[in-house]
Amino acid sequence: MRVFSAVLLLTAGAAAQRGPYEQCGGTGRPDESCSAGWQCTTYNPYYAQCVPAATSAPAPTSTPAPSPTPVPSSSQLITSSRVITTLTTVTTPPSITTSTQAGSGSGPVVPTPTTLQSGWYWIRAVATPNYRSYLQPQPTSTPVPRAAVLANSKTAAQFQLTSGQLIQNNFGNSPNLYLNVENPTDKTQRRLRTWFDTTPNTYGTFGWQGDTLTWTVSDINRPNSAAWLVCGDSKEVFINTGAFLWDTPAGCFDHTVIHSYNGAQADV
């Protein structure tokens, strides 16, 4: 199997202008202006991004798109030392180091079984830099919703794919969780946030292409239904709506090799 990874290289320059949702400032790089209709917004000392200017949203010229899927929100997503935003501002809990995994609501923290249950699968990346990192809710003691991340095998979650829903097994300690996908107003948005919640996903359909995890939806023409982005220090998982290994957002790595795995243990 061939292994790929890519990082968007940014060129500094006083006259440089960044495009929609590109990084435009932060520690170790010059401040840059954004293209017309976009403004550079600083979220912390490490990261600034081009977002739509307050007056730049055009009126629809055809039948309005379906209402966006509600994305968990209260301020902004904080992932370790870097803030990553998309068109919708969301909040997920901060990452902590733990070998346990929280249930939903206010239920107790429950151990993650280390042996695969019958009828369920691990899901993991098999390409650098996230080789054998496992899909799971962000390991934390806080309630859902929680960001979808690739993390340690010790906290690996177990999954079933049923009727287009990717379901995480909570082993009877609390309701099973569903992987949800952001439904953006701007259908050209490059990356779509994913998170785990007790409610089923309402945007798009998960599937298998062999043993590779895919996601499809009728109103976005994706070049590759198995393309994912893994971003930031917390390794948050996004749907990649663009071409694999092309114009990769800063701080992210391309993946098309996120696979199911049915070994008895989540190997490292």
Side-chain angles (χ1 to χ4, degrees):
M1 179 176 294
R2 300 184 65 186
V3 177
F4 297 91
S5 66
V7 177
L8 177 63
L9 300 179
L10 299 174
T11 303
Q17 281 197 327
R18 310 313 304 167
Y21 302 107
E22 291 186 353
Q23 186 176 355
C24 55
T27 301
R29 59 178 296 144
D31 291 336
E32 297 168 295
S33 62
C34 300
S35 55
W38 298 79
Q39 62 187 19
C40 187
T41 299
T42 299
Y43 294 102
N44 68 10
Y46 304 96
Y47 194 81
Q49 185 181 52
C50 291
V51 298
T55 60
S56 65
T61 57
S62 58
T63 303
S67 298
T69 302
V71 177
S73 61
S74 62
S75 58
Q76 61 188 42
L77 174 70
I78 302 178
T79 57
S80 187
S81 63
R82 175 178 296 172
V83 174
I84 302 172
T85 65
T86 59
L87 184 67
T88 308
T89 303
V90 308
T91 298
T92 58
S95 176
I96 60 174
T97 303
T98 177
S99 60
T100 59
Q101 183 167 306
S104 63
S106 58
V109 177
V110 296
T112 302
T114 57
T115 300
L116 188 66
Q117 308 298 295
S118 177
W120 298 81
Y121 295 91
W122 316 107
I123 295 179
R124 66 183 186 180
V126 291
T128 56
N130 299 302
Y131 181 68
R132 291 191 178 179
S133 292
Y134 286 78
L135 181 65
Q136 56 195 275
Q138 191 173 37
T140 175
S141 59
T142 57
V144 295
R146 303 220 308 275
V149 299
L150 293 181
N152 194 291
S153 61
K154 293 181 180 179
T155 50
Q158 300 182 23
F159 298 95
Q160 278 183 352
L161 204 158
T162 304
S163 300
Q165 298 283 343
L166 189 64
I167 304 170
Q168 185 221 325
N169 192 345
N170 260 344
F171 309 100
N173 294 286
S174 55
N176 290 336
L177 301 181
Y178 297 85
L179 185 60
N180 282 252
V181 178
E182 175 186 5
N183 180 357
T185 301
D186 179 3
K187 300 304 178 181
T188 66
Q189 185 172 307
R190 181 57 191 274
R191 58 187 179 187
L192 306 183
R193 191 172 307 285
T194 65
W195 71 94
F196 286 96
D197 209 339
T198 55
T199 56
N201 179 47
T202 60
Y203 187 55
T205 302
F206 292 99
W208 297 118
Q209 191 176 79
D211 61 356
T212 300
L213 183 64
T214 65
W215 177 84
T216 56
V217 71
S218 60
D219 58 356
I220 297 179
N221 184 21
R222 298 178 68 204
N224 188 331
S225 63
W228 304 82
L229 292 168
V230 180
C231 303
D233 295 334
S234 68
K235 299 183 180 180
E236 188 186 357
V237 176
F238 292 80
I239 301 288
N240 182 359
T241 64
F244 177 65
L245 288 179
W246 177 82
D247 202 21
T248 305
C252 298
F253 289 90
D254 285 274
H255 281 278
T256 57
V257 280
I258 294 182
H259 289 231
S260 65
Y261 173 61
N262 62 358
Q265 275 77 41
D267 298 334
V268 295

